[in-house]
Amino acid sequence: MSLEITFLGTGSAFPSPLRGASALVLRREGQCWLFDCGEGTQTQLMRSHLRAARITKIFITHLHGDHFFGLPGLLCTLSLQSSPDASRTPVDIYGPLGLRSFLWRSLELSHSQLLFPYAVHELVPTRDQCPAEEFKDFSDWDRGEALSRGPPGRVLYLDPAEDSYLLVEDEQLVVRAFRLFHRVPSFGFVLEEKPRPGKLNVQKLKDLG
């Protein structure tokens, strides 16, 4: 399996003319997975060798603006470059609880209609991931109208046995999120490649003794 990482932004707090806010892309099997999407990420993508249209998954570490304020704009730009296709696989977006409401409200207030489907999978944090006075419970934000009209997606809880959240699993790898301590609930992401059994030429081994 081929993996390639491209850093689009390594700046902190806000973008500068020479350094974008937090964003990196993992290219895998022709797909691009975006980790964080700070302001200006789509501009950085245009300067890179990557194709934004190949983004199939987006992972947001935490809800500080320099890590996700670029997301609504990027989705709108991707939509402008797309054709309506009801059969297209949704772009999967993973991030802390509250991200779904932010995206739905941002797109709704700006009258933005995406031409492709997307799903937001929210990670429910534990209260020990940030100082007690900073913890905010967003679990009731998507009740009623927003819940019925907003994007689909799963609500993911911590697996106590693994001390992590299972996000993606296929025949080649597993992607998990784990808790980080920060001023707001934060998550790191681990991609673990599954063991690949080798192929033996049994007859040749026998011939060689």
Side-chain angles (χ1 to χ4, degrees):
M1 181 172 59
S2 174
L3 297 175
E4 177 186 285
I5 292 178
T6 301
F7 291 91
L8 298 176
T10 58
S12 178
F14 56 87
S16 75
L18 299 179
R19 294 180 70 184
S22 180
L24 70 84
V25 169
L26 173 75
R27 190 163 65 169
R28 175 213 175 199
E29 307 292 325
Q31 299 181 27
C32 289
W33 292 3
L34 177 65
F35 291 81
D36 277 344
C37 188
E39 185 180 353
T41 293
Q42 59 176 313
T43 305
Q44 295 295 91
L45 274 167
M46 294 173 190
R47 293 173 176 164
S48 75
H49 64 285
L50 302 168
R51 291 181 57 193
R54 293 190 178 273
I55 294 175
T56 58
K57 297 187 188 303
I58 300 172
F59 302 84
I60 302 298
T61 57
H62 63 291
L63 300 184
H64 273 157
D66 55 333
H67 290 258
F68 80 117
F69 276 172
L71 187 51
L74 174 64
L75 294 177
C76 289
T77 297
L78 291 177
S79 181
L80 290 173
Q81 299 172 349
S82 302
S83 300
D85 182 2
S87 64
R88 177 174 169 176
T89 303
V91 174
D92 287 308
I93 304 172
Y94 301 85
L97 196 66
L99 181 60
R100 183 178 188 272
S101 181
F102 168 81
L103 274 178
W104 179 78
R105 294 177 193 279
S106 297
L107 297 173
E108 185 78 2
L109 287 169
S110 60
H111 296 260
S112 302
Q113 296 181 341
L114 302 185
L115 296 180
F116 59 88
Y118 74 102
V120 180
H121 311 289
E122 294 184 300
L123 285 65
V124 178
T126 58
R127 290 184 176 269
D128 57 352
Q129 284 182 246
C130 68
E133 65 273 14
E134 295 283 354
F135 187 89
K136 294 182 180 180
D137 186 357
F138 298 128
S139 57
D140 291 333
W141 278 31
D142 284 337
R143 296 287 174 86
E145 181 186 20
L147 183 63
S148 61
R149 295 177 60 192
R154 297 175 291 153
V155 177
L156 304 171
Y157 293 89
L158 179 72
D159 179 352
E162 297 288 341
D163 196 27
S164 64
Y165 303 72
L166 178 61
L167 307 185
V168 180
E169 183 172 12
D170 59 28
E171 67 281 356
Q172 291 183 318
L173 58 74
V174 177
V175 182
R176 295 182 181 273
F178 60 92
R179 296 173 296 165
L180 298 174
F181 186 86
H182 191 34
R183 282 201 304 113
V184 298
S186 302
F187 298 90
F189 302 102
V190 172
L191 284 74
E192 182 179 358
E193 190 174 2
K194 291 184 176 180
R196 292 182 295 169
K199 296 181 180 179
L200 295 177
N201 185 328
V202 177
Q203 186 57 49
K204 191 166 186 178
L205 289 172
K206 288 181 178 177
D207 294 343
L208 294 171

